Amino acid sequence: MAEDLHIITGNKEEQYQSLLPQIKGLLEGEKDLIANLANVCAALKEQFNWLWVGFYLVKNEELVLAPFQGPVACTRIRKGRGVCGTAWAEAKTLIVPDVEKFPGHIACSSLSKSEIVLPIISNNQVIGVLDIDSTMLNEFDSSDQLYLEQIIALIPF
Ligand code: SME
């Protein structure tokens, strides 16, 4: 089975529009969570070439590093800590245009300049987060939130 991703150029919306059905196809018929999270990271990283794309999953009241693409990252984040732990505690998406201005930001890579973190909610509980870092300031906006929420909704948790 060919699993090549079709990468396009274009504006952000066009890139997401092209990626969404491809991610849907990648996830269809596969129930293994690690396999699915790994492919979602790879697809996002390949299309957008962001610095870091990855998941943290809640385990024993901590966020624990899960499939990701990019530089090595911290393995555990406590609730309320950093952007990820805050998105978890507040159960809401955080868009950080300049990570240096986010009090308590956890710098896994000095190259990271902006970040978006979306909580993954199942049965009214945050079970993990999707974290994306960019080397550019002000990379993410509400359109990223919208499309990334749609991508998260495709994953069978
Ligand atoms: N910057 C995140 C930590 C995770 S790394 O960016 C991969 C934070 O402040 O929670």
Side-chain angles (χ1 to χ4, degrees):
M1 184 167 62
E3 299 288 7
D4 284 353
L5 203 68
H6 176 58
I7 302 298
I8 65 147
T9 50
N11 65 34
K12 204 180 246 183
E13 174 139 7
E14 289 164 341
Q15 293 184 63
Y16 278 117
Q17 299 275 12
S18 153
L19 199 56
L20 259 161
Q22 296 190 76
I23 289 182
K24 191 163 187 272
L26 282 170
L27 299 174
E28 248 157 29
E30 179 53 67
K31 288 197 173 72
D32 187 88
L33 183 60
I34 300 297
N36 285 334
L37 297 183
N39 258 345
V40 169
C41 294
L44 286 166
K45 174 86 170 142
E46 250 194 295
Q47 176 60 56
F48 291 101
N49 200 24
W50 287 312
L51 173 68
W52 198 91
V53 179
F55 292 91
Y56 283 87
L57 295 176
V58 175
K59 291 182 184 173
N60 298 324
E61 282 304 300
E62 274 184 319
L63 286 172
V64 182
L65 186 62
F68 72 96
Q69 295 262 323
V72 294
C74 52
T75 51
R76 288 171 190 271
I77 299 173
R78 277 181 282 155
K79 201 171 193 174
R81 294 297 174 92
V83 187
C84 292
T86 306
W88 174 20
E90 296 180 2
K92 70 170 199 203
T93 295
L94 294 179
I95 295 171
V96 182
D98 180 350
V99 294
E100 287 188 12
K101 295 193 175 135
F102 187 96
H105 166 256
I106 301 164
C108 290
S109 166
S110 59
L111 295 174
S112 173
K113 297 283 181 265
S114 62
E115 181 164 1
I116 184 169
V117 179
L118 299 99
I120 299 163
I121 296 169
S122 177
N123 294 324
N124 285 324
Q125 288 218 316
V126 178
I127 58 164
V129 299
L130 169 60
D131 178 15
I132 303 179
D133 289 64
S134 169
T135 56
M136 310 286 288
L137 285 168
N138 208 11
E139 170 76 17
F140 305 104
D141 56 31
S142 54
S143 74
D144 295 282
Q145 176 175 355
L146 193 82
Y147 283 109
L148 292 168
E149 280 169 357
Q150 290 178 38
I151 290 171
I152 289 171
L154 293 173
I155 304 170
F157 281 98

